[in-house]
Amino acid sequence: DSGVTQTPKHLITATGQRVTLRCSPRSGDLSVYWYQQSLDQGLQFLIQYYNGEERAKGNILERFSAQQFPDLHSELNLSSLELGDSALYFCASVSSSNEQFFGPGTRLTVL
Amino acid sequence: KNEVEQSPQNLTAQEGEFITINCSYSVGISALHWLQQHPGGGIVSLFMLSSGKKKHGRLIATINIQEKHSSLHITASHPRDSAVYICAVRLLLTSGSRLTFGEGTQLTVNP
């Protein structure tokens, strides 16, 4: 158990819909990273938050957004969903020594 | 060309065999991670390296910064080692601890 929680585990939705994925980092970690793992693109960095502030953006679509709340949990919002958004979405909590602890992931299926 | 290349893509071994997975990268890095992903999808961090060699149980990871190359070795392999092994790097030119990933090596160990 990494100490990072993600909900829900599975999500099935239709094209055009909007979903919210949630992540709680390990106790004491201030950083949250979101990654997407799709069959054709592999694992890719989406976005990073540190203590409530956005720090870095990767290959994140404009239809996607994220935020980190004062209690340090983070939410990734995906809107106007397309079939190609089907993927595993991971968040990772990063310690002060830069070790990454991955959550169990949310498997999103867009039908 | 990907910044992180792994070989082989697929590897099948018999129980007890010594296994080596290779990772090459083309840019400056501050650290390299080896990750394990089981069929259920969860990702576990095995090692974080910036130089030399680390050992944990039957797993050994080495890195040669000058040659931009890392290897993951598994001694006395076991069917429970069957998983995807992913090499990931933290690039020198990026802020924070975001990772750039290789495509992974699918390892199958037969009894």
Side-chain angles (χ1 to χ4, degrees), chain A residues 33 35 37 90 97-98 100, chain B residues 37 41 48 90 97-99:
Chain A
Y33 290 70
Y35 297 100
Q37 185 177 36
F90 290 98
S97 57
N98 291 317
Q100 300 227 357
Chain B
Q37 186 171 28
M48 183 176 71
R90 198 163 80 231
S97 296
R98 58 189 281 188
L99 297 179

Side-chain angles (χ1 to χ4, degrees), chain A residues 33 35 37 43 45 48 55-58 88 90 94 97-100 102 107, chain B residues 33 35 37 39-45 48 86 90 95-99 101:
Chain A
Y33 290 70
Y35 297 100
Q37 185 177 36
L43 269 161
F45 166 72
Q48 176 208 355
R55 282 293 181 92
K57 264 186 172 177
L88 263 170
F90 290 98
V94 178
S97 57
N98 291 317
E99 284 194 78
Q100 300 227 357
F102 286 82
R107 187 175 295 277
Chain B
H33 296 247
L35 311 171
Q37 186 171 28
I43 295 176
V44 174
S45 180
M48 183 176 71
I86 302 168
R90 198 163 80 231
S95 61
S97 296
R98 58 189 281 188
L99 297 179
F101 300 87

